[in-house]
Amino acid sequence: KRMVQRHVIVRQLKSLEALGGVTNICSDKTGTLTQGNMVVRKAWLPGFGTLSVAGTAAPFDPTVGDVGRRPEQPREIDFRAEDSEGEVLSALENHARDSPLLGDFLNIAALANLATVHQTGSPLEWHARGDPTEVALQVFATRFGRNRLALQDRWRQLAEFPFDSDVKKMSVVFEDTQHGKTHLFTKGATERVLPSCTAIRDEAGHVPLTDAQRADILANVEALARLGLRVLALAGRADIGPVDGHAAPDRTDLERGLVFHGLVGLYDPPRPESAPSVRKFHRAGVSVHMLTGDHPETARAIAIEVGILPSRMGEIAADVARTMVMTAAEFDRLSDGELDTLQDLPLVVARCAPHTKVRMIAALHRRGRFVAMTGDGVNDSPALKQADVGIAMGQAGADVAKEAADLVLTDDNFASILNAVEEGRRMFDNIQKFVLHVLACNVAQACTLLVGLVFKDGSGRSVFPLAPVEVMWIVMVTSGLPDMALGFEAAAADIMDRPPQDMKAGIFTWELLLDMLVYGLWTAALCLAAFLLVLFRWGDGDLGQNCNGAYSPACDTVFRARATCFASLTWFTLFLAWEMLHMRRSFFRMQPRAGPGSALTQWLADVRRNKLLLWAVLLGFATIFPLLYVPGLSTRVFRHTGITWEWGVVFVGAGLFFAGCEAWKWAKRVYFRRAAARAGGGRGQDLDSESRVFGAYFDGDRGGVALDSRIDSEATVLEKNSKPRNLKV
Ligand SMILES: Nc1ncnc2c1ncn2[C@@H]1O[C@H](COP(=O)(O)OP(=O)(O)OP(=O)(O)O)[C@@H](O)[C@H]1O
Ligand code: NA
């Protein structure tokens, strides 16, 4: 339930716990790492030039921002230059009317488009409905007065071939009621649209498309994608003859012989939380991969912005860089064997289709990784099922995807995955603490009772150091209540600073088993020592007759010794619950950094933090007195008797108990520090975090070939140049 506030719906409680052990996260880009609110930033129309939209932070409002124009193609423009946007156009509607080239381009943008953008409410506000990509195009067309709603008087839709992430394009058939002609309008990923194009539109009209022009177009796509823009190609075919919308016309038959009209570049800014979340995942030892349907250059630029790829891509050897960013086609060309020989699997897979996600999971599994995968599409179900933890999107996600998933993010936000992982680790930790406490207490009781069998009275019967009712009481009340309270313990401060737990080992790690023995045996040793000292050292050593059964004056020493043993075990059980708050940190310094107050106030605050545990411990403390001193209850039921000076033994035992536990934790800390230093191989804390995370990739010896390190700078330049100039709120 608490997860709902953190924007996560848990469909499988088990998977939340599993999420704590995730080593690799494969995330979508659009809407998850990015905001999913797109704006058209660039458009290129052959023969008309490059348009730039700047100064808008309001994605739905077509009246905000300027449109600039330069006569060159995008590949010829240095977008870092001050004047890269060119001359600002005024009266955009007139431009659209006067230039048939621009007019046709905008018609495709507005009509091959199911989104609506309109003004409603009072005061009037711009609203949009539909797919973000299409909303952006609709807003762009509306800037020039070409809103689909306005065009509907003249254009009548006859058929639609919908978009899906496998075909990566969509087409519509419209009838121009003014001229009675039928047209096909297509938009989509360039490499899906361009092959169906045979001509290109420019000032001269339609001219056949040459190979040189195709190469030109692709160079322009790259130039725009490098800015982190999603690039779509617009194309169309005029006068296709009669089409019967009811007869389900053949898609491949119509989507050919198209005329290329130009490109649009849409920007979908990363969510502000994405980069910090990726950084936190890296600190937590979790690798983040981005599997996106977008163009590799777009994917690369965004991946650099959110830190999935290092900003210093240019320093990475070319062959390494090539395996860091792959297209699905490149990825799928490699056999399973070849994938397994790669030093690292790609961090970014572009142009991803749903089945590529399944192969990625399989490849990660073969490397023994524990994988969480996001998905929103109808075809993502196999990947979501295959992943150790499948995560669906609550807003953009298809219902089938949600059904196949273990978790649903209600806000589609990548940062919410981080919350879920943290919650998973907390749950795992608390289960481990709970189990360790139960087991250590059991070991303590069992050893005390077993060793106690050695002491036999005159009739040859063993004298129990603990009576059965005492043991029951400790199991059910003294240890039971704190055990429950441990489940509510908050996450440790460093919970996201350590590597994921090994899900194959589960909670029963070597550390836990050793802890169980150490705490259990130490508790048993102290309890037995208390029993024996009170009985033989300071008492008369009289084991009496049948002292397990009933009180008699002869059993007085045994009853006192038993009471001391019981009081000790009660206290140690309670203290051990407190020691469980952190597996390695000292109970007296729970927080890594002391706050403003002294160590004592800090400690008091830490102890008070888990209220339930505090009450459970205090209750356990308080109840021991009636159990010892209420006549009848004490001797008849619990088979012990009130003690006096023996409390001194309990106090000293408590001191030794803490000393022992703390010494053991200290030894563990030293051991793990050394182990970490060895594993770090001297690569110290002083390195910047990028070198730490991506150190394996920056390998000087490989002779890094300077790649295009302009990518990141251009994306930031684009950001800077487009700071809102006349932002309306
Ligand atoms: N509405 C659309 N009409 C036509 N083509 C589109 C549309 N939306 C996206 N495309 C094209 O399909 C490509 C892949 O889009 P897809 O929706 O599969 O990716 P995505 O799911 O948005 O990205 P991600 O996988 O990162 O979430 C886009 O890069 C774009 O070229
Ligand atoms: Na997607």
Side-chain angles (χ1 to χ4, degrees):
K1 266 133 263 135
R2 52 188 281 143
M3 289 315 290
V4 172
Q5 290 154 13
R6 306 181 83 177
H7 309 292
V8 180
I9 293 173
V10 182
R11 301 189 70 242
Q12 297 272 334
L13 200 57
K14 246 185 74 212
S15 64
L16 186 58
E17 189 194 319
L19 205 51
V22 155
T23 59
N24 293 68
I25 291 183
C26 300
S27 174
D28 272 348
K29 175 176 72 62
T30 310
T32 309
L33 286 161
T34 64
Q35 300 177 5
N37 272 333
M38 306 207 193
V39 280
V40 171
R41 280 286 175 76
K42 303 281 173 199
W44 171 58
L45 295 75
F48 187 81
T50 302
L51 298 176
S52 296
V53 181
T56 170
F60 304 151
D61 190 339
T63 61
V64 176
D66 304 316
V67 178
R69 172 187 168 191
R70 285 184 68 111
E72 299 97 333
Q73 307 178 20
R75 64 182 183 83
E76 298 162 342
I77 299 174
D78 175 7
F79 288 109
R80 283 169 300 178
E82 275 297 317
D83 60 344
S84 70
E85 280 153 27
E87 122 212 40
V88 171
L89 303 182
S90 56
L92 294 174
E93 298 196 12
N94 299 344
H95 285 280
R97 203 181 43 235
D98 300 344
S99 160
L101 202 92
L102 180 59
D104 289 350
F105 181 88
L106 293 169
N107 282 349
I108 301 175
L111 293 173
N113 195 319
L114 307 179
T116 55
V117 171
H118 57 237
Q119 243 178 338
T120 50
S122 72
L124 278 179
E125 269 183 58
W126 286 94
H127 289 274
R129 224 180 27 234
D131 173 68
T133 302
E134 304 199 335
V135 166
L137 283 166
Q138 198 66 250
V139 170
F140 182 70
T142 307
R143 289 179 184 281
F144 297 85
R146 296 285 170 126
N147 191 294
R148 177 161 145 249
L149 300 174
L151 293 172
Q152 260 166 357
D153 297 339
R154 174 168 164 194
W155 296 88
R156 196 162 68 84
Q157 181 170 334
L158 296 181
E160 179 207 333
F161 306 109
F163 168 79
D164 81 46
S165 19
D166 279 317
V167 294
K168 292 189 174 27
K169 62 181 174 183
M170 69 92 79
S171 301
V172 287
V173 179
F174 269 92
E175 187 193 19
D176 178 355
T177 54
Q178 235 168 53
H179 300 109
K181 298 240 168 85
T182 310
H183 300 259
L184 177 87
F185 299 136
T186 300
K187 74 171 192 308
T190 323
E191 66 272 37
R192 301 301 175 90
V193 173
L194 200 53
S196 340
C197 292
T198 50
I200 182 169
R201 173 76 199 258
D202 64 14
E203 313 101 309
H206 299 173
V207 294
L209 195 56
T210 64
D211 284 345
Q213 277 167 322
R214 279 179 202 275
D216 231 27
I217 292 170
L218 292 179
N220 285 317
V221 171
E222 292 240 336
L224 294 177
R226 254 181 240 280
L227 301 172
L229 302 180
R230 155 175 290 195
V231 184
L232 295 188
L234 303 189
R237 203 169 123 211
D239 196 8
I240 56 175
V243 169
D244 181 0
H246 301 289
D250 180 25
R251 178 167 191 168
T252 41
D253 192 42
L254 289 174
E255 284 178 338
R256 63 189 170 75
L258 303 181
V259 178
F260 175 84
H261 281 256
L263 302 173
V264 278
L266 302 94
Y267 188 59
D268 180 13
R271 290 174 183 266
E273 315 90 315
S274 293
S277 301
V278 170
R279 214 157 37 234
K280 283 184 195 150
F281 270 128
H282 286 157
R283 265 169 69 130
V286 179
S287 304
V288 183
H289 306 257
M290 183 169 105
L291 308 187
T292 172
D294 247 326
H295 187 277
E297 288 302 334
T298 314
R300 180 202 298 265
I302 298 290
I304 291 172
E305 276 190 68
V306 300
I308 287 177
L309 292 174
S311 60
R312 287 151 37 206
M313 277 302 276
E315 292 170 31
I316 290 177
D319 55 334
V320 182
R322 247 195 309 279
T323 61
M324 285 170 94
V325 184
M326 279 190 186
T327 62
E330 288 164 345
F331 187 83
D332 287 334
R333 225 177 0 250
L334 298 177
S335 67
D336 287 352
E338 284 168 321
L339 283 179
D340 293 346
T341 57
L342 288 180
Q343 200 188 340
D344 296 282
L345 286 174
L347 291 171
V348 174
V349 180
R351 289 304 189 213
C352 213
H355 74 268
T356 317
K357 294 189 177 182
V358 175
R359 281 200 78 212
M360 182 74 174
I361 296 173
L364 284 164
H365 277 167
R366 285 196 301 276
R367 290 173 186 234
R369 298 315 202 98
F370 201 73
V371 186
M373 166 79 68
T374 67
D376 51 16
V378 177
N379 306 332
D380 283 335
S381 304
L384 291 175
K385 289 216 183 85
Q386 206 103 4
D388 300 290
V389 182
I391 304 171
M393 301 301 148
Q395 287 167 14
D399 286 341
V400 256
K402 287 183 212 168
E403 259 150 47
D406 304 302
L407 303 182
V408 178
L409 303 184
T410 53
D411 62 350
D412 295 12
N413 190 337
F414 183 73
S416 300
I417 305 178
L418 191 80
N419 293 340
V421 168
E422 186 178 343
E423 178 68 11
R425 288 190 175 191
R426 189 189 71 93
M427 276 178 60
F428 183 94
D429 269 18
N430 289 351
I431 291 171
Q432 211 170 30
K433 290 169 184 172
F434 163 88
V435 168
L436 175 55
H437 189 249
V438 170
L439 290 180
C441 290
N442 287 349
V443 167
Q445 290 152 10
C447 290
T448 310
L449 289 171
L450 276 175
V451 175
L453 291 178
V454 173
F455 307 103
K456 302 206 164 114
D457 63 14
S459 58
R461 257 181 289 206
S462 292
V463 178
F464 299 156
L466 288 168
V469 180
E470 288 179 325
V471 174
M472 289 292 288
W473 179 264
I474 289 180
V475 169
M476 314 257 288
V477 181
T478 318
S479 130
L481 292 179
D483 281 340
M484 282 199 299
L486 280 174
F488 294 92
E489 179 60 14
D494 61 353
I495 199 159
M496 293 303 276
D497 291 342
R498 53 168 207 228
Q501 60 255 352
D502 181 354
M503 289 310 286
K504 283 193 207 70
I507 55 169
F508 291 101
T509 57
W510 279 111
E511 188 180 355
L512 179 123
L513 295 175
L514 263 178
D515 278 356
M516 172 189 84
L517 285 179
V518 168
Y519 295 133
L521 293 177
W522 182 233
T523 308
L526 290 173
C527 288
L528 275 170
F531 180 72
L532 296 179
L533 286 171
V534 171
L535 190 56
F536 295 113
R537 178 74 177 80
W538 294 300
D540 53 15
D542 183 0
L543 291 174
Q545 284 286 329
N546 189 25
C547 295
N548 296 338
Y551 180 80
S552 63
C555 285
D556 192 62
T557 318
V558 170
F559 269 51
R560 296 182 81 92
R562 199 179 275 151
T564 316
C565 185
F566 174 68
S568 305
L569 185 58
T570 301
W571 278 24
F572 302 164
T573 301
L574 297 173
F575 294 154
L576 186 62
W578 260 338
E579 285 283 354
M580 290 300 96
L581 286 180
H582 199 292
M583 298 273 277
R584 294 179 195 168
R585 289 195 73 85
S586 161
F587 168 56
F588 300 99
R589 269 200 65 201
M590 295 304 298
Q591 301 295 330
R593 255 174 299 128
S598 69
L600 181 66
T601 52
Q602 175 70 39
W603 177 75
L604 285 173
D606 289 342
V607 167
R608 274 201 302 259
R609 201 160 35 102
N610 188 335
K611 290 269 184 320
L612 228 55
L613 183 59
L614 181 62
W615 281 114
V617 171
L618 291 179
L619 192 76
F621 245 84
T623 47
I624 197 167
F625 297 102
L627 298 187
L628 281 176
Y629 297 107
V630 172
L633 182 67
S634 170
T635 46
R636 282 217 215 103
V637 180
F638 278 80
R639 308 280 154 78
H640 56 211
T641 189
I643 48 172
T644 49
W645 56 268
E646 289 89 343
W647 278 112
V649 177
V650 179
F651 268 98
V652 172
L656 289 173
F657 175 80
F658 272 123
C661 293
E662 291 293 327
W664 170 245
K665 282 184 170 182
W666 173 80
K668 286 209 297 179
R669 287 199 296 274
V670 170
Y671 170 80
F672 284 110
R673 209 158 39 228
R674 298 232 171 107
R678 264 198 311 279
R683 204 185 288 143
Q685 249 68 5
D686 43 327
L687 283 178
D688 60 299
S689 71
E690 186 160 273
S691 308
R692 245 192 339 270
V693 175
F694 297 107
Y697 298 101
F698 294 113
D699 197 339
D701 304 339
R702 303 222 206 177
V705 178
L707 275 182
D708 213 333
S709 55
R710 292 187 328 182
I711 300 153
D712 50 324
S713 46
E714 279 181 9
T716 35
V717 164
L718 188 67
E719 236 347 61
K720 189 192 77 211
N721 284 354
S722 332
K723 281 276 142 56
R725 278 174 231 164
N726 50 348
L727 205 163
K728 280 190 215 146
V729 185

